[in-house]
Amino acid sequence: ASEADVLNKALYGMTAKEWKELNPDKEGNIRDYSTVEQLICLANLETLNAHLIDQKMVQGERLTLLNKIAQEQMKSISGNSSVKKLKVNSEKYDYS
């Protein structure tokens, strides 16, 4: 849970527990309410975080770096035409 919280803090600015406390009426978790862009960014952050752990970077430094990268990626991903197509196509289907 600790590493998941690092990723959640880096991308969403809060842990899963903090999100649940702010959203007691919602079922599921923070990732269930993520946008396509956030999920793409999260997948990238997961890979990068694993690499940084292998490099023995301490958690606080990783969080700072991952947050900076998340901000940069969200700007880049949000303007990407392929992501926009993916988003439109995903809205056509009900996955529930």
Side-chain angles (χ1 to χ4, degrees):
S2 178
E3 289 307 319
D5 281 341
V6 169
L7 296 170
N8 287 340
K9 285 285 269 192
L11 181 58
Y12 305 106
M14 66 184 80
T15 64
K17 181 180 178 183
E18 291 168 336
W19 181 87
K20 196 65 175 166
E21 289 171 356
L22 291 172
N23 299 281
D25 57 319
K26 293 186 177 178
E27 293 186 26
N29 61 56
I30 191 169
R31 295 175 187 202
D32 294 330
Y33 295 89
S34 297
T35 65
V36 169
E37 294 88 350
Q38 288 171 322
L39 292 173
I40 292 169
C41 184
L42 184 60
N44 293 340
L45 293 179
E46 287 171 342
T47 302
L48 180 56
N49 191 42
H51 176 73
L52 296 174
I53 290 170
D54 285 345
Q55 297 297 314
K56 310 287 190 239
M57 183 179 281
V58 297
Q59 192 175 70
E61 291 175 8
R62 282 189 283 119
L63 175 57
T64 300
L65 180 60
L66 291 169
N67 178 257
K68 180 181 177 192
I69 291 169
Q71 291 175 32
E72 292 169 356
Q73 284 195 4
M74 286 302 296
K75 287 178 190 171
S76 176
I77 291 169
S78 295
N80 186 295
S81 62
S82 295
V83 173
K84 289 179 184 177
K85 289 177 188 175
L86 176 64
K87 192 171 183 177
V88 168
N89 288 333
S90 70
E91 291 170 353
K92 292 179 184 178
Y93 303 99
D94 180 11
Y95 296 104
S96 53

